[in-house]
Amino acid sequence: MLKPIDRKSRHEMNLIMDAGKIVAAVHMMLMDMLEPGMSTLDLDREAEAFIRKHGAIPTFKGLYGFPATLCTSVNEEVVHGIPKADKILVEGDVISVDCGVTYRGYIADTAVTLPVGKIDEDKQRLLEDTDGGLHAAIAKMVPGTPLDEVSGAIEDYAKARGYGLVVEYGGHGTGRKLHEEPFIFNYRRNVPTPELRPGNVLAIEPMYNLGGAEVETLDDQWTVVTKDRLPSAHFEHTVIVTEDGPVLATERVRD
Ligand code: MG
Ligand code: MG
């Protein structure tokens, strides 16, 4: 009755881990170079060059008509911001950098919201708590957990801390395609959902707002912003469910 979530083979999981290492390295590189005065297009160019140098493909570029390697979403922008030469970062901004990498046909997808220089306490807390919500959801990702409990963890973490929870977007299966089934709601629906099994590969991606939950899409048809124009944060990992618990394919590990 409930459609089970696709289970990847060991070989497929290894390729997703390889893609994940590359995209995690993209984020670490961008963290190291990010500073006031850079444009979002500068970041995009660095990311694309890095990905291609490593024999991989920027998954987002051309997908659904998106023009760039990264989605760069600054301050009140929630997701899907388009990198631009005239979008200059200034001290105190926060920027969400979402990136997908395809390596030998397999994809890993991850997002992080980064501070530009020194940011105020409210923004700092928003970043820490959105990452906290992501990790609260990941902690639930053991075999036998209904998917709705993962969704519920994202909602509970936001509500307990008073954030606006974005419900229009969510996580997804990933593998050969960026967006595979199932769609993963960022809130509890209290409906029967499939139980997680080893080999499930899921991108989990909460978006929390400092103000209200409402969002809208700008006239460019891509950029999603908060209606009240208060800041938003977005964190995402591609997670592999195993017998031993969740494994982060996109974990940022410094060597
Ligand atoms: Mg995603
Ligand atoms: Mg993503």
Side-chain angles (χ1 to χ4, degrees):
M1 190 189 72
L2 280 179
K3 192 171 181 242
I5 302 168
D6 187 41
R7 298 171 71 172
K8 267 62 181 178
S9 69
R10 172 55 54 196
H11 176 67
E12 291 177 304
M13 287 188 272
N14 286 340
L15 290 175
I16 290 165
M17 292 291 290
D18 289 342
K21 285 192 182 77
I22 296 169
V23 72
V26 169
H27 272 152
M28 290 187 285
M29 174 190 71
L30 296 178
M31 283 173 184
D32 291 344
M33 66 173 51
L34 182 63
E35 56 180 13
M38 294 185 82
S39 75
T40 53
L41 188 65
D42 291 333
L43 298 175
D44 193 76
R45 287 190 171 137
E46 295 285 349
E48 181 172 0
F50 183 94
I51 291 165
R52 294 199 189 280
K53 190 177 80 184
H54 286 80
I57 296 166
T59 311
F60 297 175
K61 200 165 188 176
L63 187 68
Y64 313 125
F66 190 77
T69 292
L70 304 176
C71 294
T72 52
S73 308
V74 180
N75 296 330
E76 75 277 8
E77 297 173 353
V78 181
V79 286
H80 304 163
I82 300 170
K84 290 190 187 69
D86 62 359
K87 184 92 177 180
I88 307 296
L89 299 168
V90 301
E91 178 102 14
D93 283 345
V94 291
I95 177 174
S96 300
V97 179
D98 193 352
C99 188
V101 156
T102 307
Y103 183 71
R104 294 173 62 196
Y106 282 85
I107 293 167
D109 182 16
T110 179
V112 60
T113 304
L114 300 171
V116 181
K118 190 162 171 46
I119 61 173
D120 68 37
E121 275 177 31
D122 282 350
K123 282 179 169 172
Q124 186 62 44
R125 192 173 52 87
L126 174 68
L127 268 49
E128 286 168 11
D129 285 340
T130 310
D131 193 38
L134 169 60
H135 283 88
I138 292 170
K140 300 276 185 190
M141 296 178 71
V142 296
T145 302
L147 186 58
D148 200 42
E149 285 192 24
V150 179
S151 298
I154 293 171
E155 176 180 10
D156 293 345
Y157 203 92
K159 297 254 161 96
R161 290 161 182 79
Y163 296 107
L165 176 67
V166 179
V167 296
E168 284 83 351
Y169 304 90
H172 49 92
T174 195
R176 280 197 166 276
K177 289 193 296 179
L178 176 65
H179 295 127
E180 298 186 351
E181 291 183 10
F183 179 78
I184 303 171
F185 291 83
N186 280 343
Y187 58 97
R188 187 181 286 101
R189 291 183 301 148
N190 293 307
V191 297
T193 48
E195 292 182 357
L196 299 181
R197 292 282 170 246
N200 294 159
V201 180
L202 301 170
I204 307 298
E205 46 181 314
M207 290 141 250
Y208 293 173
N209 300 339
L210 210 44
E214 290 81 10
V215 299
E216 60 190 354
T217 304
L218 297 182
D219 287 340
D220 66 11
Q221 302 301 318
W222 278 107
T223 313
V224 177
V225 298
T226 54
K227 267 199 178 159
D228 57 17
R229 301 300 191 262
L230 289 172
S232 185
H234 177 210
F235 283 79
E236 176 183 28
H237 275 301
T238 295
V239 182
I240 302 178
V241 179
T242 79
E243 295 284 5
D244 302 323
V247 172
L248 276 62
T250 48
E251 188 166 26
R252 294 179 292 278
V253 183
R254 301 273 181 183
D255 6 77

